[in-house]
Amino acid sequence: MCQHQPPCPTSGDPDHEAARVVASHPEQGWSLLCNGVVVFEDTGELLPDGGVIAPHRPTYIRTAA
C-alpha cells in the first residue's frame, strides 16, 4: 500500500503509528495512515483487518494540587 521510500511500517509492525498520514479529518477526530490504520484522537486505532486497539495513552493532564 505504501509508495514511500523507505516504505512506512506495515500495520502489523510495532511502530505502525509512524506511517505517514494520507487523509486527516481533525474535525471528526481521526486520520488514515498509508498502511491502512485509522488512528483516533483518543489514541484508539482501527486496523485494516478489522482489529481494534483500545486507547492506550492518557487523554488528560493531571495538574498539581
Side-chain angles (χ1 to χ4, degrees):
M1 183 177 213
C2 178
Q3 302 299 316
H4 306 112
Q5 292 299 327
C8 291
T10 68
S11 62
D13 290 338
D15 60 344
H16 62 267
E17 293 175 359
R20 292 188 189 184
V21 173
V22 294
S24 180
H25 294 277
E27 72 283 0
Q28 296 176 353
W30 63 272
S31 296
L32 173 65
L33 305 181
C34 71
N35 58 9
V37 175
V38 177
V39 292
F40 297 94
E41 66 182 18
D42 69 353
T43 70
E45 301 173 19
L46 180 60
L47 303 175
D49 65 1
V52 174
I53 297 177
H56 49 284
R57 291 193 232 20
T59 56
Y60 62 90
I61 298 173
R62 178 177 274 178
T63 59

